[in-house]
Amino acid sequence: MGIYLNPRNEGFAEAVRSRIYVDKTGLIAHTSAFLNTNEKFICVSRPRRFGKSMALHMLAAYYSRGCDSRELFAGTKIEQDETFDTHLNQYDVIFLNMQQFLTGAKKQGVTEYLEQEVLEELFEAYGACIRNPNGGLADILRRIYAAIGKKFIFLIDEWDCIMRERQESELLQKQYLDFLRNLLKDQPYVMLAYMTGILPVKKYGLHSALNMFWEYSMTGQNIFEEYTGFTQQEVKNLCRKSGMDFAETGSWYDGYRFRRLRHIYNPRSVVAAMTSGYFSNYWTSTETYEALKIYMDMDFQGLRTDIVQMLGGGCIRVNTRSFQNDMRTFRTKDDVLTLLIHLGYLGYDAETEEAFIPNKEIAGEFENAMSTGGWPEVMRVLQMSEKLLEDTLRCDEKSVAQGLDRAHMEAASILAYNDENSLSCAIGLAYYSAKKDYKLIRELPAGRGFADIVFLPLPFRKKPALIVELKYNKSADSAIWQIKNRHYAKALEGYCGEILLVGISYDRNCADKPHSCVIEKLMYGTGCQD
């Protein structure tokens, strides 16, 4: 048993003993299926605070010969798997936290320091079968394999920290990638290599040295979807136990989508909310908004316009394939947007290839980043949004139209009205403050068609629902007619209470007062008069 070779199970034991623990041991069955196969090289990349290190500690506790973890896994999902006893504490594990080596390396290079530390434990365990002690880590591991046929499981945490924290040092990055390639690629002693980080691995200039890895990232987690964050059912269970509202939890921390699971929650923020008993922005407790602001201020090909559209509830099509998987090589706005996806600042829908701001917590990060300068027009629109919502709830049609005119004048330099879709994003931005009381849903299937924007009140807010229909160069009255004729209110299944039907028109030929608004009240739902 050592620090790097065959670690104990304390890391996972701490997670299991925590006040809130969600069983993710089903991950182990997937990794066990890859042992000694062509798919044995796995790189799982996720944002910070998405449980990467916990997953590695769990794998170490299960596979490592340095501990007895049977009791620790009692009652978990993996205990019910037929392969549980086959692999439990049966293998030699080498656990490497690259952040620790990067921080601990003083006069030595990072890889030299790593080799020194790991070799010391290898010599202690396998010195008898190493005739010549000279050589690097890969050389020694090959000799051990040649002597006794010993294979190893490699668990590597923060694999990309050198790429993120030494962005300017291309020589260091090249040396590091060469080291990993030599250590892992085509080596007979590798039973499994499982790496975690924030960035995927496949492109670093000419150095595609780690192309043997199968990548599972925020643009496609595949079989690892349910282990990327908390699932909807897991959050429902936590809300029930903690007495927290599920709908509001979703508005704060849901929004990460994959092909199979359309609702993935930020696990750390959910745990913080359940533990503290109130909803807040817990993202800022581990990372400041300055990191986001750096990328927001890169106005590649209208990036600022895209961000404003997403703040308004819109989605932006992104080509994620051009991204070079580093934090300094940006050729197009797609590269910046893709990085923000990997950092967790944007959600991504692989089916539509679109990015979006996932939830209220992340929207707050964008707002914080904009508040420090460079976005005065947008900030003024956000500040006006509170009054716009109040005017809407009072059914003050004239004030609503005037408020939309002012918001349009402020944001016109960034966000143009080209069609009903861009108008929808602008209206979503103008009603930005409504997010504290409402869940905003764009293009909601309703009756015979899709409602442009629905504002569904969060529980206990005592607010009416809003169905907003937008018209570009058509009358606001025609918008109200469409809401009624196509029975959009039927989309609010299970809702009982007041609904405001809001018709908004934008007339591009009317420069002074381009917006008009019509608002009608409707009672809807069981026990209400339609």
Side-chain angles (χ1 to χ4, degrees), residues 166-389:
R166 298 292 188 270
Q167 297 179 26
E168 306 301 322
S169 181
E170 294 184 5
L171 178 60
L172 177 59
Q173 294 180 23
K174 179 181 181 300
Q175 291 173 341
Y176 173 59
L177 289 171
D178 286 341
F179 168 78
L180 287 180
R181 176 179 58 186
N182 186 48
L183 177 65
L184 301 173
K185 190 171 185 178
D186 299 325
Q187 297 290 9
Y189 53 74
V190 177
M191 176 177 287
L192 177 75
Y194 186 105
M195 298 199 313
T196 68
I198 295 175
L199 299 175
V201 300
K202 58 186 174 187
K203 304 169 193 167
Y204 281 101
L206 297 177
H207 267 265
S208 298
L210 305 180
N211 58 5
M212 68 284 198
F213 275 90
W214 294 76
E215 295 183 45
Y216 305 88
S217 75
M218 294 304 285
T219 60
Q221 285 283 336
N222 296 322
I223 61 172
F224 294 119
E225 286 184 8
E226 67 180 287
Y227 310 109
T228 302
F230 287 167
T231 65
Q232 196 169 50
Q233 187 58 53
E234 289 166 344
V235 174
K236 282 183 180 179
N237 294 339
L238 290 175
C239 287
R240 187 164 49 251
K241 292 177 182 177
S242 302
M244 300 290 280
D245 183 73
F246 172 68
E248 186 151 9
T249 303
S251 72
W252 274 96
Y253 312 119
D254 187 13
Y256 298 95
R257 298 180 199 161
F258 297 112
R259 293 185 183 276
R260 183 170 55 88
L261 297 180
R262 308 298 284 175
H263 297 276
I264 291 292
Y265 295 66
N266 179 328
R268 186 192 182 280
S269 295
V270 170
V271 168
M274 299 298 121
T275 302
S276 65
Y278 64 90
F279 300 105
S280 183
N281 186 342
Y282 297 103
W283 190 281
T284 54
S285 64
T286 53
E287 185 169 319
T288 61
Y289 63 81
E290 282 87 353
L292 174 60
K293 181 171 172 34
I294 292 172
Y295 302 108
M296 286 176 59
D297 289 341
M298 296 179 179
D299 193 18
F300 283 101
Q301 302 171 316
L303 175 64
R304 289 166 67 90
T305 299
D306 287 349
I307 290 175
V308 172
Q309 287 196 22
M310 289 187 288
L311 276 172
C315 297
I316 300 298
R317 194 169 179 83
V318 181
N319 174 17
T320 61
R321 292 173 290 279
S322 66
F323 183 51
Q324 294 298 302
N325 294 0
D326 65 23
M327 303 181 77
R328 62 191 295 264
T329 306
F330 302 111
R331 297 186 177 91
T332 68
K333 69 175 180 179
D334 284 343
D335 294 337
V336 180
L337 293 171
T338 303
L339 174 61
L340 294 180
I341 292 168
H342 290 300
L343 294 175
Y345 287 111
L346 294 177
Y348 179 72
D349 190 325
E351 293 185 349
T352 62
E353 298 185 340
E354 291 178 325
F356 51 89
I357 295 176
N359 52 49
K360 187 187 299 186
E361 182 179 48
I362 299 302
E365 288 299 289
F366 278 90
E367 186 179 351
N368 290 337
M370 291 188 301
S371 66
T372 58
W375 300 72
E377 312 93 338
V378 178
M379 291 306 300
R380 284 193 289 269
V381 173
L382 300 188
Q383 290 161 6
M384 291 188 295
S385 65
E386 186 76 36
K387 184 178 184 304
L388 182 64
L389 178 61

